[in-house]
């Protein structure tokens, strides 16, 4: 078995980053004055894992099913909260639009989830046992009542039946809307996928902010501007949260942040950032005009969708490349060893 940290061609220097290269140059220039310093006697080694295989098993979740499920569920969750606020504040057009968005998004998200699972009964099997320590189990018990409440509320809204039932269903779906918008981030971060797991503190805020931007943007498109105030405020606040926290995800976790700004995931996330920022700015400047509200809503929804695709694909990239697993492990081991040598208790990190 070869001892390795990276796939062939990636190289140890890339895994350690520019700082390692700088240290190597300083060592070669160092030594006694007038001397030649330390000279490497062999060429730089290229490291690989056993047969070039990933160290961890990449997720078997499929694209576009799972990213669409993440996007639609988040949009539906935030829309249900907007609908409840609109109902209480006397905005019938916004209430109706948000209920349709929540119900339609909930049903569509379940369709994509079941398509990814392969057979409908697999979703029902997830409801057989409730396990509080499993994000997947808890998420199933969030999605099921939310989908039922949001779908029923949209149906009776469309038919014009049972006004009291509509309000009750709207309240129930709003209670589950916030958890639905964020539990999928906890689910991703609870895996061994390096770029998801390292961002376990930030991803729920990214997904929550992205859901707010999507729900606010979509409801803003189909609601008269006179009633769309809650949608505009939700969209702008969500966009600000998403942009601020996503910057931390992309730059705050060392080597495992690389997939978020390189290759296809990096491209998707850069476009998402541009759409979200432009949509939020246009909402502030021209959100009270019909054309401005429509364009801003489309940009916000597109930014949210691309964010989910970018985060999803960045995780897959980090799972396939051994360096994103091994380099952080060795860094943690080195930190613990240094702490023991200095007489300090080692810090336990996830």
């Amino acid at each position: 078995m070869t001892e390795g940290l990276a796939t062939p061609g990636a190289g140890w220097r890339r895994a350690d980053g520019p700082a390692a290269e700088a240290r190597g140059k300083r060592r070669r220039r160092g030594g006694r004055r007038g001397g030649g310093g330390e000279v490497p006697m062999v060429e730089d080694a290229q490291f690989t894992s056993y047969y070039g295989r990933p160290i961890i098993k990449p997720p078997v979740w499929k694209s576009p099913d799972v990213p669409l499920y993440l996007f639609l569920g988040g949009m539906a969750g935030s829309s249900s909260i907007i609908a409840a606020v609109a109902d209480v504040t006397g905005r019938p057009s916004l209430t109706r639009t948000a209920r349709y968005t929540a119900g339609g998004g909930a049903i569509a998200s379940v369709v994509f989830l079941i398509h990814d699972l392969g057979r409908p009964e697999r979703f029902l099997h997830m409801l057989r046992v409730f396990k509080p320590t499993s994000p997947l189990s808890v998420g199933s018990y969030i999605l099921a009542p939310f989908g039922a409440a949001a779908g029923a509320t949209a149906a009776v809204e469309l038919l014009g039946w049972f006004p009291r039932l509509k309000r009750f269903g709207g309240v129930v779906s709003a209670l589950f809307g916030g958890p639905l918008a964020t539990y999928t981030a906890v689910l991703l971060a609870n895996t061994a996928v390096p770029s998801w797991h390292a961002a376990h503190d930030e991803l729920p805020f990214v997904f929550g902010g992205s859901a707010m931007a999507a729900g606010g943007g979509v409801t803003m498109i189909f609601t008269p501007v006179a009633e769309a105030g809650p949608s505009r405020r939700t969209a702008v606040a969500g966009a600000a949260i998403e942009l601020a926290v996503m910057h931390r995800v992309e730059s705050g976790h060392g080597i495992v942040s690389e997939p978020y700004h390189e290759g296809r995931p990096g491209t998707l996330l850069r476009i998402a950032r541009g759409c979200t920022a432009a949509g939020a700015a246009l909402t502030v400047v021209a959100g009270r005009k019909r054309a401005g509200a429509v364009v801003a809503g489309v940009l916000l929804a597109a930014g949210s969708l691309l964010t989910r695709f970018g985060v999803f694909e960045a995780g897959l990239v980090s799972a396939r490349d051994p360096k994103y697993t091994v380099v952080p492990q060795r860094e943690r081991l080195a930190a613990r060893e240094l702490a023991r040598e200095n007489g300090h208790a080692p810090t336990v990190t996830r």
Side-chain angles (χ1 to χ4, degrees):
M1 180 185 294
T2 56
E3 297 179 1
L5 297 183
T7 53
W12 174 251
R13 288 197 173 174
R14 183 180 175 196
D16 260 358
E21 296 183 17
R23 289 197 297 271
K25 291 177 182 177
R26 286 198 296 271
R27 282 198 298 271
R28 287 192 290 272
R29 290 197 297 265
R32 295 173 305 215
R33 263 184 211 182
E38 182 182 345
V39 179
M41 303 302 294
V42 296
E43 295 181 358
D44 290 339
Q46 298 290 322
F47 296 88
T48 181
S49 64
Y50 189 53
Y51 288 126
R53 295 170 65 91
I55 291 176
I56 65 172
K57 184 177 180 181
V60 297
W61 298 328
K62 296 187 289 290
S63 181
D65 290 342
V66 171
L68 286 172
Y69 162 67
L70 301 177
F71 165 72
L72 291 167
M75 179 190 69
S78 64
S79 296
S80 68
I81 298 174
I82 293 173
V85 172
D87 188 28
V88 171
T89 56
R91 292 177 168 89
S93 294
L94 178 58
T95 302
R96 184 167 51 254
T97 298
R99 283 175 176 170
Y100 290 157
T101 304
I107 294 170
S109 69
V110 172
V111 169
F112 283 111
L113 175 60
I114 291 174
H115 187 264
D116 178 71
L117 293 173
R119 296 199 304 270
E121 60 268 23
R122 287 179 175 172
F123 176 73
L124 299 177
H125 291 167
M126 292 191 295
L127 300 174
R128 292 185 301 177
V129 177
F130 178 71
K131 189 176 181 181
T133 57
S134 168
L136 181 60
S137 177
V138 174
S140 300
Y141 276 89
I142 293 172
L143 178 60
F146 175 84
T153 302
V156 295
E157 179 71 51
L158 179 64
L159 297 172
W161 297 346
F162 311 116
R164 291 185 180 180
L165 181 60
K166 282 194 298 187
R167 176 161 291 185
F168 175 75
V171 170
V172 172
S173 60
L175 290 175
F176 285 96
L180 181 73
T182 55
Y183 96 87
T184 49
V186 179
L187 176 62
L188 297 184
N190 198 52
T191 66
V193 175
S195 292
W196 291 343
H197 187 75
H200 63 273
D201 288 333
E202 295 92 358
L203 279 184
F205 292 96
V206 171
F207 278 31
S210 179
M212 292 169 65
V218 171
T219 55
M220 202 163 55
I221 294 172
F222 300 103
T223 304
V225 293
E227 291 191 15
S231 296
R232 290 192 293 269
R233 290 189 288 271
T234 299
V236 172
I241 294 170
E242 177 187 347
L243 292 171
V245 184
M246 195 64 212
H247 176 72
R248 167 68 179 170
V249 172
E250 292 173 341
S251 59
H253 297 285
I255 192 172
V256 295
S257 288
E258 277 185 5
Y260 289 109
H261 50 79
E262 294 185 353
R264 176 178 166 82
T267 300
L268 289 171
L269 289 169
R270 281 191 293 274
I271 298 173
R273 185 163 56 247
C275 288
T276 301
L282 189 58
T283 301
V284 173
V285 174
R288 287 179 168 80
K289 297 180 180 178
R290 190 77 199 112
V294 171
V295 175
V298 170
L299 287 171
L300 289 164
S304 177
L305 177 62
L306 292 173
T307 295
R308 306 305 175 108
F309 272 91
V311 170
F312 181 76
E313 296 200 11
L316 298 185
V317 169
S318 72
R320 296 187 188 112
D321 193 330
K323 73 176 181 179
Y324 296 120
T325 300
V326 178
V327 171
Q329 286 178 343
R330 293 205 171 183
E331 289 175 348
R332 291 192 293 268
L333 288 172
R336 292 190 186 108
E337 183 64 28
L338 181 62
R340 280 194 291 268
E341 290 176 359
N342 293 335
H344 301 297
T347 301
V348 179
T349 59
R350 290 186 61 182

